[in-house]
Amino acid sequence: VGAAAGNMFGARRLLKQGAQASARKAMRKSHTTEHKAHEALTDSITALAEAEKRSKEVFTKAEERIAGLKAQTEKVKKNSLKFLVYFLFAFTLFLLLALF
């Protein structure tokens, strides 16, 4: 009976040690998973910041392009108006010369 009790005590001790080892292993695994999740989150935040920076650059370039196109449009309008005025002046002069 004493040997059986000793074996039972030894078995309990082994189970307890095994449970502690399993718990330590699970904690290490949990810590590793947490570390990987933190790295993934950090990478995501970095990628988001880079994307925001690129989008701001693209937006700024688009605004500059729009401003340039507006200036070019105004220039074309002025040139068209000048051409129309000169054309009407020349046509009027031609008509006056043709009549007299």
Side-chain angles (χ1 to χ4, degrees):
V1 175
N7 286 341
M8 186 179 269
F9 178 73
R12 282 186 188 160
R13 188 169 48 102
L14 288 175
L15 282 174
K16 186 176 178 183
Q17 288 174 350
Q20 288 174 346
S22 294
R24 282 193 298 271
K25 184 177 177 182
M27 285 178 64
R28 279 194 303 269
K29 189 173 184 180
S30 173
H31 179 72
T32 302
T33 304
E34 181 183 345
H35 183 69
K36 287 179 182 178
H38 185 266
E39 285 179 349
L41 181 61
T42 303
D43 292 346
S44 296
I45 291 170
T46 303
L48 183 62
E50 290 173 1
E52 182 181 13
K53 181 181 174 185
R54 283 192 300 270
S55 69
K56 283 182 181 178
E57 290 171 356
V58 169
F59 184 74
T60 302
K61 286 180 183 178
E63 283 183 325
E64 290 171 357
R65 179 76 175 134
I66 289 169
L69 289 172
K70 283 182 179 179
Q72 188 177 1
T73 302
E74 289 300 316
K75 189 176 178 181
V76 168
K77 282 182 184 177
K78 285 180 182 178
N79 287 340
S80 298
L81 187 62
K82 280 183 185 178
F83 174 77
L84 182 63
V85 168
Y86 288 138
F87 177 77
L88 289 175
F89 178 73
F91 186 70
T92 306
L93 218 96
F94 173 75
L95 286 177
L96 286 175
L97 287 176
L99 290 175
F100 297 106

